[in-house]
Amino acid sequence: MGWIGETVDSIKSIKIRQLLTQAITLGMIVTSALIIWKCLMCVTGTESPVVVVLSGSMEPGFKRGDILFLHMTTEPIRAGEIVVFNVDGRDIPIVHRAIKVHERENTGHVDVLTKGDNNDVDDIGLYADGQFWLHRHHIMGRAVGFLPYVGWVTIIMSEKPIIKYILIGALGLLVITSKD
Amino acid sequence: MHSFGYRANAILTFSVTALAFICAIASLSDNFSNQNPSAEIQILNINRFKKQSYENDEVSLTLDITADLESLFTWNTKQVFAFVAAEYETPKNSLNQVSLWDAIIPDKEHAKFRIQTSNKYRFIDQGHNLRGKEFNLTLHWHVMPKTGKMFADKIVMPGYSLPDAYK
């Protein structure tokens, strides 16, 4: 129990200037993380350069908890590409494969039908009522890379928010009580 | 300097960095593999060719697909997703790609195959353009790695055509 006494002592002996310096350092760390995230958004051309796979509809290729790196270019969408799209009215993006593509002459407007590899039917049931095709503005990006298991951290933190609070609380405590 | 916290932090940072490095190297090694897959597709039969009541043309066909995709598998390959698409042009659309059949190939042992199958997904046109239409059958494959960059390629086989009249 000696370290509780030490912790209390160290909190009591904190000087204002040191505290401010630590707060600024913390702020710098958070801000640089944000800057890196925004740069990634610019480079990859999509609003969410990294997504976590939430469902098993693309197994065995992508399991729940894997993360996907997305990239969006102005290249036309072609069959076989794994696309991430938002359906009007739903906020969770879906990661499935394009199985049918019809591209209009001249305008480049494209109709896309998608299907999850592990699903038996195509995604018409997932689209909005009366919608039979996806269009370019629904598609947020193409999956170009993949890392297994790393996404579990995000899934655990969003499904059990208590863990998020414990983690941030512990980090905060560590920052305050460190003598650096 | 030697507290538990510092040590745990150092171990965690180092292991995450090392893991990220290994994943990157694994993905890079895929660029050096020699790949020469081959495939051949024959249309065995056109089963049905009709116009869905007042709407779009639909074809049902039986395909004989032979392929050897063994050389695509490296030690960093988790699976290969292969599919056959019919690709053609119409007056309204500069490109139509309709996937007819697909399969997930989990390992090298299953990568050399020959199957005869009717099309898994409905071959429906946007319009009535399919009579006498010439199209390509393209075998696409997408390699999904254990970690890292996914890549894809295809073999285009031109010269197939549909009958001039509904059946």
Side-chain angles (χ1 to χ4, degrees):
Chain A
M1 287 298 142
W3 65 265
I4 294 187
E6 277 175 24
T7 315
V8 173
D9 273 337
S10 75
I11 292 182
K12 273 196 264 185
S13 72
I14 275 185
K15 301 179 182 18
I16 284 293
R17 174 171 265 185
Q18 191 184 28
L19 190 66
L20 279 178
T21 317
Q22 282 183 342
I24 290 183
T25 314
L26 191 63
M28 291 281 283
I29 295 176
V30 171
T31 318
S32 5
L34 204 63
I35 291 178
I36 293 179
W37 185 251
K38 291 290 177 188
C39 279
L40 261 182
M41 272 171 55
C42 265
V43 162
T44 63
T46 105
E47 279 179 12
S48 45
V50 181
V51 291
V52 178
V53 176
L54 294 171
S55 73
S57 56
M58 287 290 281
E59 295 205 0
F62 301 144
K63 297 196 170 33
R64 200 168 126 87
D66 295 339
I67 68 172
L68 292 176
F69 298 106
L70 305 184
H71 194 62
M72 190 62 183
T73 62
T74 48
E75 296 265 322
I77 314 265
R78 290 285 173 254
E81 293 177 352
I82 299 177
V83 293
V84 178
F85 59 92
N86 267 323
V87 177
D88 304 323
R90 289 179 205 234
D91 49 351
I92 304 180
I94 307 179
V95 186
H96 282 171
R97 198 183 291 272
I99 60 168
K100 292 192 188 173
V101 169
H102 295 278
E103 182 177 314
R104 295 271 179 283
E105 190 92 45
N106 299 329
T107 62
H109 170 91
V110 67
D111 289 333
V112 178
L113 181 64
T114 58
K115 173 181 168 294
D117 290 349
N118 207 25
N119 292 345
D120 290 324
V121 296
D122 55 37
D123 288 344
I124 287 215
L126 289 175
Y127 301 160
D129 281 332
Q131 181 188 0
F132 297 107
W133 302 100
L134 285 180
H135 305 301
R136 202 184 178 92
H137 65 87
H138 291 114
I139 294 179
M140 289 173 12
R142 275 177 269 250
V144 294
F146 147 88
L147 268 185
Y149 307 122
V150 180
W152 272 113
V153 179
T154 314
I155 293 186
I156 292 177
M157 288 212 296
S158 56
E159 295 195 348
K160 298 196 181 359
I162 190 80
I163 296 203
K164 205 173 13 180
Y165 297 133
I166 292 181
L167 223 69
I168 297 196
L171 270 172
L173 212 63
L174 214 69
V175 164
I176 294 177
T177 59
S178 74
K179 291 204 194 315
D180 282 330
Chain B
M1 211 51 224
H2 301 293
S3 71
F4 174 73
Y6 278 112
R7 285 183 172 148
N9 182 34
I11 290 179
L12 197 67
T13 326
F14 183 69
S15 52
V16 169
T17 315
L19 263 177
F21 186 66
I22 292 176
C23 286
I25 298 270
S27 185
L28 272 176
S29 75
D30 272 341
N31 291 342
F32 297 113
S33 65
N34 242 355
Q35 303 186 330
N36 54 334
S38 64
E40 204 185 276
I41 306 184
Q42 281 175 323
I43 299 187
L44 290 180
N45 187 32
I46 308 263
N47 307 331
R48 254 197 340 260
F49 184 9
K50 64 183 169 90
K51 188 161 75 169
Q52 292 175 335
S53 37
Y54 302 112
E55 283 190 46
N56 305 318
D57 283 350
E58 178 173 353
V59 191
S60 161
L61 18 79
T62 308
L63 301 165
D64 179 326
I65 306 172
T66 317
D68 177 359
L69 301 174
E70 283 183 347
S71 58
L72 295 174
F73 279 85
T74 70
W75 63 285
N76 190 29
T77 306
K78 184 196 277 196
Q79 69 179 37
V80 169
F81 184 88
F83 68 99
V84 170
E87 298 176 358
Y88 60 95
E89 213 182 285
T90 61
K92 187 168 93 166
N93 293 336
S94 58
L95 174 67
N96 298 280
Q97 288 177 312
V98 181
S99 173
L100 298 177
W101 169 87
D102 57 34
I104 293 179
I105 305 173
D107 50 42
K108 206 163 177 169
E109 282 72 44
H110 293 91
K112 192 165 177 177
F113 59 89
R114 178 178 188 167
I115 67 161
Q116 293 174 342
T117 167
S118 60
N119 50 319
K120 209 167 165 184
Y121 306 115
R122 301 170 71 184
F123 186 170
I124 301 179
D125 183 35
Q126 285 186 336
H128 319 293
N129 306 301
L130 292 185
R131 275 164 294 175
K133 179 54 87 179
E134 283 188 15
F135 60 98
N136 298 340
L137 281 177
T138 313
L139 177 71
H140 297 250
W141 57 86
H142 283 251
V143 179
M144 288 153 89
K146 294 200 173 102
T147 78
K149 184 167 175 304
M150 301 189 286
F151 51 98
D153 206 347
K154 60 187 181 189
I155 298 181
V156 180
M157 287 162 279
Y160 300 89
S161 60
L162 288 170
D164 290 323
Y166 290 128
K167 211 163 108 143

PDB file of all heavy atoms in Angstrom, chain B residues 3-32:
ATOM      1  N   SER B   3      10.543   1.114 -13.069  1.00  0.00           N
ATOM      2  CA  SER B   3       9.272   0.720 -12.473  1.00  0.00           C
ATOM      3  C   SER B   3       8.533  -0.205 -13.425  1.00  0.00           C
ATOM      4  O   SER B   3       8.827  -0.279 -14.604  1.00  0.00           O
ATOM      5  CB  SER B   3       8.431   1.959 -12.180  1.00  0.00           C
ATOM      6  OG  SER B   3       7.992   2.494 -13.404  1.00  0.00           O
ATOM      7  N   PHE B   4       7.547  -0.852 -12.860  1.00  0.00           N
ATOM      8  CA  PHE B   4       6.723  -1.767 -13.647  1.00  0.00           C
ATOM      9  C   PHE B   4       6.080  -1.050 -14.821  1.00  0.00           C
ATOM     10  O   PHE B   4       6.031  -1.560 -15.939  1.00  0.00           O
ATOM     11  CB  PHE B   4       5.647  -2.364 -12.739  1.00  0.00           C
ATOM     12  CG  PHE B   4       4.652  -3.206 -13.489  1.00  0.00           C
ATOM     13  CD1 PHE B   4       5.010  -4.447 -13.968  1.00  0.00           C
ATOM     14  CD2 PHE B   4       3.377  -2.737 -13.750  1.00  0.00           C
ATOM     15  CE1 PHE B   4       4.105  -5.214 -14.680  1.00  0.00           C
ATOM     16  CE2 PHE B   4       2.461  -3.508 -14.442  1.00  0.00           C
ATOM     17  CZ  PHE B   4       2.826  -4.752 -14.913  1.00  0.00           C
ATOM     18  N   GLY B   5       5.602   0.186 -14.565  1.00  0.00           N
ATOM     19  CA  GLY B   5       4.922   0.934 -15.616  1.00  0.00           C
ATOM     20  C   GLY B   5       5.821   1.170 -16.817  1.00  0.00           C
ATOM     21  O   GLY B   5       5.433   0.936 -17.966  1.00  0.00           O
ATOM     22  N   TYR B   6       7.051   1.615 -16.555  1.00  0.00           N
ATOM     23  CA  TYR B   6       7.964   1.895 -17.670  1.00  0.00           C
ATOM     24  C   TYR B   6       8.289   0.641 -18.435  1.00  0.00           C
ATOM     25  O   TYR B   6       8.348   0.630 -19.666  1.00  0.00           O
ATOM     26  CB  TYR B   6       9.257   2.519 -17.152  1.00  0.00           C
ATOM     27  CG  TYR B   6       9.129   3.996 -16.919  1.00  0.00           C
ATOM     28  CD1 TYR B   6       9.178   4.520 -15.634  1.00  0.00           C
ATOM     29  CD2 TYR B   6       8.940   4.863 -17.985  1.00  0.00           C
ATOM     30  CE1 TYR B   6       9.047   5.871 -15.421  1.00  0.00           C
ATOM     31  CE2 TYR B   6       8.803   6.211 -17.774  1.00  0.00           C
ATOM     32  CZ  TYR B   6       8.859   6.711 -16.493  1.00  0.00           C
ATOM     33  OH  TYR B   6       8.724   8.053 -16.290  1.00  0.00           O
ATOM     34  N   ARG B   7       8.487  -0.446 -17.693  1.00  0.00           N
ATOM     35  CA  ARG B   7       8.859  -1.694 -18.368  1.00  0.00           C
ATOM     36  C   ARG B   7       7.699  -2.185 -19.222  1.00  0.00           C
ATOM     37  O   ARG B   7       7.887  -2.599 -20.365  1.00  0.00           O
ATOM     38  CB  ARG B   7       9.244  -2.741 -17.333  1.00  0.00           C
ATOM     39  CG  ARG B   7      10.600  -2.467 -16.755  1.00  0.00           C
ATOM     40  CD  ARG B   7      11.014  -3.536 -15.793  1.00  0.00           C
ATOM     41  NE  ARG B   7      12.406  -3.318 -15.398  1.00  0.00           N
ATOM     42  CZ  ARG B   7      12.902  -3.631 -14.222  1.00  0.00           C
ATOM     43  NH1 ARG B   7      12.120  -4.170 -13.314  1.00  0.00           N
ATOM     44  NH2 ARG B   7      14.168  -3.405 -13.948  1.00  0.00           N
ATOM     45  N   ALA B   8       6.491  -2.150 -18.650  1.00  0.00           N
ATOM     46  CA  ALA B   8       5.333  -2.615 -19.412  1.00  0.00           C
ATOM     47  C   ALA B   8       5.160  -1.768 -20.670  1.00  0.00           C
ATOM     48  O   ALA B   8       4.891  -2.287 -21.754  1.00  0.00           O
ATOM     49  CB  ALA B   8       4.074  -2.550 -18.550  1.00  0.00           C
ATOM     50  N   ASN B   9       5.336  -0.446 -20.517  1.00  0.00           N
ATOM     51  CA  ASN B   9       5.201   0.450 -21.660  1.00  0.00           C
ATOM     52  C   ASN B   9       6.219   0.120 -22.739  1.00  0.00           C
ATOM     53  O   ASN B   9       5.890   0.041 -23.922  1.00  0.00           O
ATOM     54  CB  ASN B   9       5.377   1.895 -21.175  1.00  0.00           C
ATOM     55  CG  ASN B   9       5.200   2.873 -22.305  1.00  0.00           C
ATOM     56  OD1 ASN B   9       4.396   2.644 -23.194  1.00  0.00           O
ATOM     57  ND2 ASN B   9       5.957   3.944 -22.283  1.00  0.00           N
ATOM     58  N   ALA B  10       7.470  -0.111 -22.301  1.00  0.00           N
ATOM     59  CA  ALA B  10       8.525  -0.390 -23.275  1.00  0.00           C
ATOM     60  C   ALA B  10       8.244  -1.695 -24.005  1.00  0.00           C
ATOM     61  O   ALA B  10       8.376  -1.781 -25.228  1.00  0.00           O
ATOM     62  CB  ALA B  10       9.880  -0.452 -22.573  1.00  0.00           C
ATOM     63  N   ILE B  11       7.818  -2.720 -23.255  1.00  0.00           N
ATOM     64  CA  ILE B  11       7.548  -4.016 -23.896  1.00  0.00           C
ATOM     65  C   ILE B  11       6.414  -3.874 -24.891  1.00  0.00           C
ATOM     66  O   ILE B  11       6.478  -4.369 -26.020  1.00  0.00           O
ATOM     67  CB  ILE B  11       7.187  -5.072 -22.840  1.00  0.00           C
ATOM     68  CG1 ILE B  11       8.412  -5.410 -22.010  1.00  0.00           C
ATOM     69  CG2 ILE B  11       6.643  -6.322 -23.503  1.00  0.00           C
ATOM     70  CD1 ILE B  11       8.127  -6.422 -20.936  1.00  0.00           C
ATOM     71  N   LEU B  12       5.346  -3.177 -24.477  1.00  0.00           N
ATOM     72  CA  LEU B  12       4.183  -3.055 -25.349  1.00  0.00           C
ATOM     73  C   LEU B  12       4.538  -2.313 -26.629  1.00  0.00           C
ATOM     74  O   LEU B  12       4.212  -2.750 -27.740  1.00  0.00           O
ATOM     75  CB  LEU B  12       3.087  -2.289 -24.590  1.00  0.00           C
ATOM     76  CG  LEU B  12       1.689  -2.433 -25.183  1.00  0.00           C
ATOM     77  CD1 LEU B  12       1.244  -3.866 -25.025  1.00  0.00           C
ATOM     78  CD2 LEU B  12       0.719  -1.518 -24.470  1.00  0.00           C
ATOM     79  N   THR B  13       5.235  -1.184 -26.486  1.00  0.00           N
ATOM     80  CA  THR B  13       5.593  -0.396 -27.676  1.00  0.00           C
ATOM     81  C   THR B  13       6.465  -1.200 -28.618  1.00  0.00           C
ATOM     82  O   THR B  13       6.251  -1.216 -29.828  1.00  0.00           O
ATOM     83  CB  THR B  13       6.350   0.874 -27.271  1.00  0.00           C
ATOM     84  OG1 THR B  13       5.853   1.332 -26.036  1.00  0.00           O
ATOM     85  CG2 THR B  13       6.196   1.938 -28.322  1.00  0.00           C
ATOM     86  N   PHE B  14       7.453  -1.879 -28.035  1.00  0.00           N
ATOM     87  CA  PHE B  14       8.360  -2.638 -28.888  1.00  0.00           C
ATOM     88  C   PHE B  14       7.643  -3.770 -29.605  1.00  0.00           C
ATOM     89  O   PHE B  14       7.854  -4.002 -30.799  1.00  0.00           O
ATOM     90  CB  PHE B  14       9.514  -3.200 -28.053  1.00  0.00           C
ATOM     91  CG  PHE B  14      10.506  -3.935 -28.891  1.00  0.00           C
ATOM     92  CD1 PHE B  14      11.305  -3.252 -29.794  1.00  0.00           C
ATOM     93  CD2 PHE B  14      10.623  -5.317 -28.808  1.00  0.00           C
ATOM     94  CE1 PHE B  14      12.199  -3.926 -30.588  1.00  0.00           C
ATOM     95  CE2 PHE B  14      11.524  -5.999 -29.595  1.00  0.00           C
ATOM     96  CZ  PHE B  14      12.324  -5.305 -30.488  1.00  0.00           C
ATOM     97  N   SER B  15       6.761  -4.475 -28.887  1.00  0.00           N
ATOM     98  CA  SER B  15       6.109  -5.609 -29.544  1.00  0.00           C
ATOM     99  C   SER B  15       5.160  -5.145 -30.630  1.00  0.00           C
ATOM    100  O   SER B  15       5.072  -5.759 -31.688  1.00  0.00           O
ATOM    101  CB  SER B  15       5.392  -6.491 -28.529  1.00  0.00           C
ATOM    102  OG  SER B  15       4.547  -5.729 -27.725  1.00  0.00           O
ATOM    103  N   VAL B  16       4.461  -4.027 -30.395  1.00  0.00           N
ATOM    104  CA  VAL B  16       3.565  -3.538 -31.446  1.00  0.00           C
ATOM    105  C   VAL B  16       4.354  -3.108 -32.668  1.00  0.00           C
ATOM    106  O   VAL B  16       3.985  -3.405 -33.813  1.00  0.00           O
ATOM    107  CB  VAL B  16       2.692  -2.375 -30.918  1.00  0.00           C
ATOM    108  CG1 VAL B  16       1.982  -1.694 -32.051  1.00  0.00           C
ATOM    109  CG2 VAL B  16       1.684  -2.893 -29.920  1.00  0.00           C
ATOM    110  N   THR B  17       5.478  -2.415 -32.437  1.00  0.00           N
ATOM    111  CA  THR B  17       6.307  -1.985 -33.575  1.00  0.00           C
ATOM    112  C   THR B  17       6.845  -3.189 -34.338  1.00  0.00           C
ATOM    113  O   THR B  17       6.821  -3.226 -35.570  1.00  0.00           O
ATOM    114  CB  THR B  17       7.490  -1.144 -33.086  1.00  0.00           C
ATOM    115  OG1 THR B  17       7.021  -0.215 -32.121  1.00  0.00           O
ATOM    116  CG2 THR B  17       8.140  -0.405 -34.238  1.00  0.00           C
ATOM    117  N   ALA B  18       7.305  -4.191 -33.586  1.00  0.00           N
ATOM    118  CA  ALA B  18       7.868  -5.373 -34.249  1.00  0.00           C
ATOM    119  C   ALA B  18       6.798  -6.090 -35.060  1.00  0.00           C
ATOM    120  O   ALA B  18       7.028  -6.522 -36.194  1.00  0.00           O
ATOM    121  CB  ALA B  18       8.477  -6.319 -33.212  1.00  0.00           C
ATOM    122  N   LEU B  19       5.589  -6.218 -34.506  1.00  0.00           N
ATOM    123  CA  LEU B  19       4.503  -6.866 -35.225  1.00  0.00           C
ATOM    124  C   LEU B  19       4.147  -6.109 -36.496  1.00  0.00           C
ATOM    125  O   LEU B  19       3.954  -6.710 -37.554  1.00  0.00           O
ATOM    126  CB  LEU B  19       3.250  -6.922 -34.333  1.00  0.00           C
ATOM    127  CG  LEU B  19       3.013  -8.223 -33.586  1.00  0.00           C
ATOM    128  CD1 LEU B  19       1.795  -8.072 -32.702  1.00  0.00           C
ATOM    129  CD2 LEU B  19       2.829  -9.370 -34.546  1.00  0.00           C
ATOM    130  N   ALA B  20       4.088  -4.777 -36.380  1.00  0.00           N
ATOM    131  CA  ALA B  20       3.751  -3.983 -37.562  1.00  0.00           C
ATOM    132  C   ALA B  20       4.812  -4.167 -38.640  1.00  0.00           C
ATOM    133  O   ALA B  20       4.506  -4.295 -39.826  1.00  0.00           O
ATOM    134  CB  ALA B  20       3.631  -2.509 -37.175  1.00  0.00           C
ATOM    135  N   PHE B  21       6.062  -4.214 -38.221  1.00  0.00           N
ATOM    136  CA  PHE B  21       7.160  -4.399 -39.170  1.00  0.00           C
ATOM    137  C   PHE B  21       7.053  -5.744 -39.864  1.00  0.00           C
ATOM    138  O   PHE B  21       7.188  -5.866 -41.087  1.00  0.00           O
ATOM    139  CB  PHE B  21       8.480  -4.284 -38.404  1.00  0.00           C
ATOM    140  CG  PHE B  21       9.686  -4.305 -39.288  1.00  0.00           C
ATOM    141  CD1 PHE B  21       9.914  -3.278 -40.182  1.00  0.00           C
ATOM    142  CD2 PHE B  21      10.594  -5.352 -39.227  1.00  0.00           C
ATOM    143  CE1 PHE B  21      11.029  -3.291 -40.996  1.00  0.00           C
ATOM    144  CE2 PHE B  21      11.711  -5.363 -40.037  1.00  0.00           C
ATOM    145  CZ  PHE B  21      11.923  -4.336 -40.924  1.00  0.00           C
ATOM    146  N   ILE B  22       6.757  -6.808 -39.079  1.00  0.00           N
ATOM    147  CA  ILE B  22       6.645  -8.138 -39.672  1.00  0.00           C
ATOM    148  C   ILE B  22       5.502  -8.187 -40.668  1.00  0.00           C
ATOM    149  O   ILE B  22       5.616  -8.763 -41.752  1.00  0.00           O
ATOM    150  CB  ILE B  22       6.440  -9.197 -38.573  1.00  0.00           C
ATOM    151  CG1 ILE B  22       7.700  -9.310 -37.732  1.00  0.00           C
ATOM    152  CG2 ILE B  22       6.105 -10.537 -39.178  1.00  0.00           C
ATOM    153  CD1 ILE B  22       7.553 -10.257 -36.571  1.00  0.00           C
ATOM    154  N   CYS B  23       4.360  -7.558 -40.322  1.00  0.00           N
ATOM    155  CA  CYS B  23       3.222  -7.556 -41.249  1.00  0.00           C
ATOM    156  C   CYS B  23       3.597  -6.849 -42.538  1.00  0.00           C
ATOM    157  O   CYS B  23       3.241  -7.298 -43.634  1.00  0.00           O
ATOM    158  CB  CYS B  23       2.021  -6.849 -40.620  1.00  0.00           C
ATOM    159  SG  CYS B  23       1.216  -7.809 -39.350  1.00  0.00           S
ATOM    160  N   ALA B  24       4.318  -5.727 -42.427  1.00  0.00           N
ATOM    161  CA  ALA B  24       4.692  -4.987 -43.627  1.00  0.00           C
ATOM    162  C   ALA B  24       5.623  -5.816 -44.503  1.00  0.00           C
ATOM    163  O   ALA B  24       5.478  -5.875 -45.726  1.00  0.00           O
ATOM    164  CB  ALA B  24       5.351  -3.667 -43.234  1.00  0.00           C
ATOM    165  N   ILE B  25       6.580  -6.492 -43.889  1.00  0.00           N
ATOM    166  CA  ILE B  25       7.518  -7.313 -44.655  1.00  0.00           C
ATOM    167  C   ILE B  25       6.788  -8.460 -45.340  1.00  0.00           C
ATOM    168  O   ILE B  25       7.024  -8.790 -46.497  1.00  0.00           O
ATOM    169  CB  ILE B  25       8.608  -7.892 -43.743  1.00  0.00           C
ATOM    170  CG1 ILE B  25       9.403  -6.772 -43.119  1.00  0.00           C
ATOM    171  CG2 ILE B  25       9.504  -8.826 -44.511  1.00  0.00           C
ATOM    172  CD1 ILE B  25      10.588  -6.362 -43.914  1.00  0.00           C
ATOM    173  N   ALA B  26       5.838  -9.072 -44.608  1.00  0.00           N
ATOM    174  CA  ALA B  26       5.078 -10.182 -45.191  1.00  0.00           C
ATOM    175  C   ALA B  26       4.340  -9.709 -46.428  1.00  0.00           C
ATOM    176  O   ALA B  26       4.319 -10.372 -47.457  1.00  0.00           O
ATOM    177  CB  ALA B  26       4.093 -10.736 -44.156  1.00  0.00           C
ATOM    178  N   SER B  27       3.743  -8.514 -46.307  1.00  0.00           N
ATOM    179  CA  SER B  27       3.000  -8.004 -47.445  1.00  0.00           C
ATOM    180  C   SER B  27       3.926  -7.681 -48.611  1.00  0.00           C
ATOM    181  O   SER B  27       3.623  -7.970 -49.759  1.00  0.00           O
ATOM    182  CB  SER B  27       2.240  -6.752 -47.010  1.00  0.00           C
ATOM    183  OG  SER B  27       1.429  -6.316 -48.042  1.00  0.00           O
ATOM    184  N   LEU B  28       5.085  -7.112 -48.322  1.00  0.00           N
ATOM    185  CA  LEU B  28       6.037  -6.775 -49.382  1.00  0.00           C
ATOM    186  C   LEU B  28       6.522  -8.020 -50.102  1.00  0.00           C
ATOM    187  O   LEU B  28       6.756  -7.998 -51.307  1.00  0.00           O
ATOM    188  CB  LEU B  28       7.240  -6.055 -48.787  1.00  0.00           C
ATOM    189  CG  LEU B  28       7.104  -4.544 -48.672  1.00  0.00           C
ATOM    190  CD1 LEU B  28       8.327  -3.971 -47.981  1.00  0.00           C
ATOM    191  CD2 LEU B  28       6.967  -3.944 -50.071  1.00  0.00           C
ATOM    192  N   SER B  29       6.669  -9.124 -49.362  1.00  0.00           N
ATOM    193  CA  SER B  29       7.218 -10.332 -49.990  1.00  0.00           C
ATOM    194  C   SER B  29       6.297 -10.858 -51.066  1.00  0.00           C
ATOM    195  O   SER B  29       6.716 -11.563 -51.968  1.00  0.00           O
ATOM    196  CB  SER B  29       7.460 -11.409 -48.938  1.00  0.00           C
ATOM    197  OG  SER B  29       6.226 -11.986 -48.553  1.00  0.00           O
ATOM    198  N   ASP B  30       5.004 -10.481 -50.992  1.00  0.00           N
ATOM    199  CA  ASP B  30       4.073 -10.941 -52.024  1.00  0.00           C
ATOM    200  C   ASP B  30       4.416 -10.385 -53.386  1.00  0.00           C
ATOM    201  O   ASP B  30       4.057 -10.955 -54.402  1.00  0.00           O
ATOM    202  CB  ASP B  30       2.643 -10.499 -51.672  1.00  0.00           C
ATOM    203  CG  ASP B  30       1.960 -11.530 -50.788  1.00  0.00           C
ATOM    204  OD1 ASP B  30       2.437 -12.674 -50.769  1.00  0.00           O
ATOM    205  OD2 ASP B  30       0.969 -11.171 -50.147  1.00  0.00           O
ATOM    206  N   ASN B  31       5.104  -9.240 -53.406  1.00  0.00           N
ATOM    207  CA  ASN B  31       5.426  -8.637 -54.701  1.00  0.00           C
ATOM    208  C   ASN B  31       6.452  -9.446 -55.471  1.00  0.00           C
ATOM    209  O   ASN B  31       6.598  -9.282 -56.678  1.00  0.00           O
ATOM    210  CB  ASN B  31       5.980  -7.222 -54.504  1.00  0.00           C
ATOM    211  CG  ASN B  31       4.915  -6.278 -54.020  1.00  0.00           C
ATOM    212  OD1 ASN B  31       3.746  -6.575 -54.139  1.00  0.00           O
ATOM    213  ND2 ASN B  31       5.324  -5.153 -53.471  1.00  0.00           N
ATOM    214  N   PHE B  32       7.173 -10.311 -54.777  1.00  0.00           N
ATOM    215  CA  PHE B  32       8.242 -11.027 -55.450  1.00  0.00           C
ATOM    216  C   PHE B  32       7.834 -12.394 -55.959  1.00  0.00           C
ATOM    217  O   PHE B  32       8.650 -13.117 -56.493  1.00  0.00           O
ATOM    218  CB  PHE B  32       9.432 -11.193 -54.496  1.00  0.00           C
ATOM    219  CG  PHE B  32      10.024  -9.874 -54.100  1.00  0.00           C
ATOM    220  CD1 PHE B  32       9.932  -9.430 -52.786  1.00  0.00           C
ATOM    221  CD2 PHE B  32      10.650  -9.075 -55.029  1.00  0.00           C
ATOM    222  CE1 PHE B  32      10.456  -8.208 -52.423  1.00  0.00           C
ATOM    223  CE2 PHE B  32      11.176  -7.855 -54.679  1.00  0.00           C
ATOM    224  CZ  PHE B  32      11.086  -7.411 -53.370  1.00  0.00           C
TER     225      PHE B  32
END
